[in-house]
Amino acid sequence: MEFKFIEGSGKSHDRHIYIEPDNELSRDELLQKIITIAKIAREHKVRINLKKIHSEDLKRFIIDVLTIQSYNYKNKDLIKNIEMPGESIIGSVINECRYIIDSPPNIMNINTITDYIMKNTPKNIEVSVLTEETLKSLGMNLLVGMNSGSRYPASMIVLTYKKNEIDPVVLVGKGVIFDSGGINLKQGEFSNMKCDKTGAIYVWGLIKALCLNNMDGHFVGLLPFIENMPSSKALHPGDIIATGTPAGVGAGLEPPRFLQPGDEVK
């Protein structure tokens, strides 16, 4: 792939980058070339010209990677430095997820994440929120119990994106806002435990991307949000919790029992 840099005039000093095809480049080499452009965009305004790229798949790949590589938590507007012939739905959703994941719990707690998802989910996706009281009534006491030390009540967001009548694909994502270890406090530096909500956020992002791309299918996302914190109300090691599954928790049985293909969950 060839880059042609043309310095702009005036105070902006824009860089015009003409990208031309090179069939000898591997996909990994191409990826590194595109990342180089994204690094340039951190200091200069960049205008991308893809007129000589005739493959629509290659154009989409370039735009996706440029969008993803423009992510910066402290500067969400960095993408505006890159003028591209198109937008990236996938890249934009990934960057949105990364921003939520990177946000510490004083910014993205159980309540603020719930509000954010409610406001930023496409209308074609049905969103419902199970409160802590509802979770208790469903026997989900392990989930609620792990949240006992938090100042915020546990919740579960249920997303439904349905384009046909087939059986749904159900996606479950771990949504621990912050995992301190509770009373069994973790040792050392563990500020990255803010990322323990990654699974839930990426389930939301995936279903959002499917909807924005108007994909066919039937998908349900379950996003349980809790926070594992130490307090006088937190669970103690060895506490006995009654759950909604009469046989108990599968991982604790002798021998352990887990869901198998064909099992039905009601």
Side-chain angles (χ1 to χ4, degrees):
M1 176 172 290
E2 180 183 354
F3 295 158
K4 294 182 179 178
F5 299 88
I6 302 178
E7 294 287 349
S9 59
K11 295 182 179 180
S12 64
H13 296 294
D14 292 359
R15 287 196 174 190
H16 298 245
I17 301 180
Y18 295 79
I19 302 179
E20 299 183 0
D22 185 341
N23 294 328
E24 295 181 0
L25 283 179
S26 69
R27 194 171 183 86
D28 286 342
E29 290 171 329
L30 171 60
L31 181 62
Q32 292 305 314
K33 293 279 189 179
I34 300 171
I35 290 174
T36 299
I37 298 176
K39 290 180 178 178
I40 293 171
R42 294 179 181 270
E43 298 181 4
H44 302 269
K45 289 187 176 181
V46 174
R47 181 174 298 171
I48 306 297
N49 189 309
L50 300 177
K51 290 182 178 179
K52 292 192 176 182
I53 303 292
H54 301 297
S55 167
E56 291 301 320
D57 287 342
L58 182 55
K59 284 183 181 179
R60 177 55 49 200
F61 176 74
I62 292 173
I63 293 172
D64 285 345
V65 174
L66 282 173
T67 302
I68 293 168
Q69 288 297 320
S70 72
Y71 171 76
N72 184 292
Y73 180 75
K74 295 181 179 179
N75 183 7
K76 291 192 295 181
D77 292 330
L78 193 61
I79 185 64
K80 295 180 180 178
N81 271 9
I82 306 177
E83 183 178 325
M84 294 179 283
E87 296 180 347
S88 168
I89 292 176
I90 296 295
S92 296
V93 171
I94 288 175
N95 286 350
E96 186 177 21
C97 289
R98 292 162 81 185
Y99 175 77
I100 299 172
I101 293 165
D102 286 342
S103 294
N106 65 320
I107 295 175
M108 286 291 180
N109 56 56
I110 295 174
N111 291 346
T112 52
I113 279 187
T114 299
D115 290 342
Y116 186 95
I117 290 176
M118 294 289 288
K119 292 176 181 177
N120 292 279
T121 299
K123 294 181 179 179
N124 289 346
I125 299 174
E126 179 184 332
V127 183
S128 59
V129 180
L130 305 183
T131 65
E132 184 167 281
E133 291 304 313
T134 301
L135 295 175
K136 289 179 180 178
S137 70
L138 294 172
M140 304 181 76
N141 297 317
L142 289 173
L143 186 64
V144 174
M146 286 300 297
N147 192 65
S148 298
S150 175
R151 74 176 83 172
Y152 305 103
S155 70
M156 180 184 291
I157 296 177
V158 181
L159 309 171
T160 304
Y161 172 61
K162 188 175 183 180
K163 286 279 288 184
N164 55 37
E165 298 299 327
I166 63 173
D167 291 337
V169 174
V170 180
L171 306 169
V172 183
K174 181 182 179 182
V176 180
I177 300 297
F178 192 87
D179 186 6
S180 69
I183 291 179
N184 188 22
L185 195 66
K186 294 179 183 291
Q187 301 297 310
E189 207 286 320
F190 53 88
S191 62
N192 63 344
M193 283 295 98
K194 65 185 179 182
C195 299
D196 226 20
K197 57 186 180 288
T198 297
I201 299 306
Y202 271 127
V203 167
W204 171 70
L206 174 57
I207 292 179
K208 180 174 182 176
L210 290 168
C211 177
L212 292 176
N213 281 291
N214 199 32
M215 300 296 290
D216 198 23
H218 183 185
F219 300 89
V220 173
L222 303 179
L223 319 179
F225 286 112
I226 64 167
E227 185 179 30
N228 186 17
M229 297 294 290
S231 83
S232 61
K233 297 181 180 180
L235 288 180
H236 308 86
D239 280 354
I240 298 174
I241 307 296
T243 73
T245 51
V249 179
L253 299 179
E254 294 289 347
R257 288 174 52 192
F258 302 99
L259 287 174
Q260 302 295 324
D263 287 350
E264 293 185 7
V265 179
K266 298 183 180 179

